[in-house]
Amino acid sequence: MNILIEKISAVNDLILQGKGLEAFENYYHDNVVTQDNDDEVFAGKEINRKRKEAFFDAITEFRCAKPLKVAVGEKTTMVEWQFDFTHQDLGCKKFTQVAVQEWLDGKIIKEKFYYGL
C-alpha cells in the first residue's frame, strides 16, 4: 500500500503543478479505461489522452484544484478534489469530484469520476 500512496501523491502533485498530461503519460496504463459518472466508457490511452488534451485546452481560467481527501486500499486509490475553473464549453465551474483509480503493474488501469455539475 505504501507504493500506492507514493504513486497517487506523485499524480496529485503533478496535477497541482499544472502538469496533468505529464501525470497521465507517466502513471496511466496503455489499456486505461475511464468513465465520468455513469456516462460512456473510454478505453485505451490514446483516446483518453485526446480527451484530456481537449479538456485542458478549453480551460480559459484556472482558479483552484485542491485534493481534500486521499484513501488507499488494495490496488485502489480514491481522491476527493475541489475544482474551480472556467471552461469555454462548460462555463464557470466550482465543484467537488471523487476520482477512484484501480492500479495494475504500477499504473492506473481504470479511473472513474463521480461528480454533479
Side-chain angles (χ1 to χ4, degrees), residues 47-109:
I47 192 167
N48 280 292
R49 178 185 301 109
K50 288 179 182 176
R51 291 183 71 236
K52 286 190 179 295
E53 287 171 346
F55 180 80
F56 290 137
D57 287 348
I59 292 177
T60 58
E61 183 181 359
F62 185 80
R63 292 176 291 280
C64 174
K66 183 168 134 181
L68 303 174
K69 296 176 186 155
V70 177
V72 178
E74 188 173 326
K75 298 182 182 179
T76 303
T77 55
M78 292 180 253
V79 182
E80 180 182 18
W81 283 94
Q82 179 181 33
F83 292 109
D84 185 3
F85 58 83
T86 302
H87 188 276
Q88 69 185 22
D89 300 323
L90 304 173
C92 185
K93 295 294 174 194
K94 185 175 184 178
F95 65 100
T96 56
Q97 165 188 284
V98 175
V100 179
Q101 301 88 11
E102 294 179 24
W103 295 77
L104 177 69
D105 300 329
K107 301 215 175 192
I108 296 169
I109 187 72

Side-chain angles (χ1 to χ4, degrees), residues 24-44:
F24 180 78
E25 291 303 327
N26 293 336
Y27 292 98
Y28 285 70
H29 196 280
D30 286 342
N31 298 318
V32 65
V33 174
T34 65
Q35 184 178 23
D36 288 48
N37 296 316
D38 289 325
D39 295 343
E40 181 180 355
V41 173
F42 294 92

Side-chain angles (χ1 to χ4, degrees), residues 4-30:
L4 284 186
I5 292 170
E6 291 173 14
K7 287 186 179 283
I8 196 61
S9 294
V11 169
N12 293 345
D13 288 345
L14 286 169
I15 292 169
L16 290 170
Q17 295 170 37
K19 298 178 181 178
L21 291 175
E22 184 177 328
F24 180 78
E25 291 303 327
N26 293 336
Y27 292 98
Y28 285 70
H29 196 280
D30 286 342

